[in-house]
Amino acid sequence: MKKYNYIIAVLLSCQGSIYAQSVPVKKQETKDMTLEMYRKQIDSLDKTLIEVLGKRERVVKEIGIYKAKHNIPPLQAARFQQVLDRGIAAGDKEGLSAELITEVLNAVHKESLRIEEELKHK
């Protein structure tokens, strides 16, 4: 006989009332559901990361416009070092390696410089 796990609180809605029902679920299906739950969390977090990057790049465009109007070069090495140092410290508090934070911030900074250079030549 196959072993089944039971999900006790499967809620069924029926004319505004809620009922609990036992539903047999195979162990593999339970594992797959757990994995799917984690993947949905990752998908949501990835979406948030992309939204935050989009907001950041919109601010970078405003900075690029300002720098172009005032003849300020896109690369401000001291400022980037401050951003990097703060990022590494914040990442450390989250259990993230300095290497990861450095790689991510370098990629973001590279794109920011590309945007600012593009605006400078408009």
Side-chain angles (χ1 to χ4, degrees), residues 57-68 115 119:
E57 294 308 313
R58 286 187 287 281
V59 173
V60 165
K61 286 179 184 175
E62 295 301 319
I63 290 170
I65 292 167
Y66 180 88
K67 285 180 177 180
I115 290 168
L119 290 167

Side-chain angles (χ1 to χ4, degrees), residues 2-122:
K2 294 182 180 179
K3 293 184 180 181
Y4 291 92
N5 288 335
Y6 288 91
I7 299 176
I8 300 299
V10 175
L11 300 176
L12 300 174
S13 176
C14 181
Q15 299 175 0
S17 300
I18 297 177
Y19 301 93
Q21 175 180 339
S22 295
V23 178
V25 179
K26 294 179 183 177
K27 285 185 178 182
Q28 185 60 41
E29 290 174 359
T30 301
K31 288 180 185 176
D32 292 344
M33 289 177 1
T34 300
L35 182 58
E36 187 60 31
M37 178 189 69
Y38 288 134
R39 286 179 173 164
K40 285 183 180 184
Q41 287 177 340
I42 292 292
D43 292 345
S44 177
L45 291 167
D46 287 346
K47 182 178 184 251
T48 300
L49 277 171
I50 291 167
E51 289 169 353
V52 169
L53 285 170
K55 289 176 185 176
R56 187 186 194 285
E57 294 308 313
R58 286 187 287 281
V59 173
V60 165
K61 286 179 184 175
E62 295 301 319
I63 290 170
I65 292 167
Y66 180 88
K67 285 180 177 180
K69 285 181 181 178
H70 295 89
N71 295 318
I72 300 170
L75 178 60
Q76 302 289 299
R79 167 68 179 144
F80 179 64
Q81 189 60 54
Q82 290 173 344
V83 170
L84 193 55
D85 291 343
R86 261 197 318 269
I88 290 170
D92 185 57
K93 290 178 183 175
E94 294 294 327
L96 303 172
S97 71
E99 292 80 14
L100 172 64
I101 298 301
T102 299
E103 190 172 331
V104 168
L105 289 178
N106 276 326
V108 170
H109 188 244
K110 181 178 177 182
E111 177 64 8
S112 297
L113 290 174
R114 185 196 66 76
I115 290 168
E116 288 184 28
E117 282 292 339
E118 187 178 281
L119 290 167
K120 185 172 123 177
H121 297 293
K122 280 189 173 184

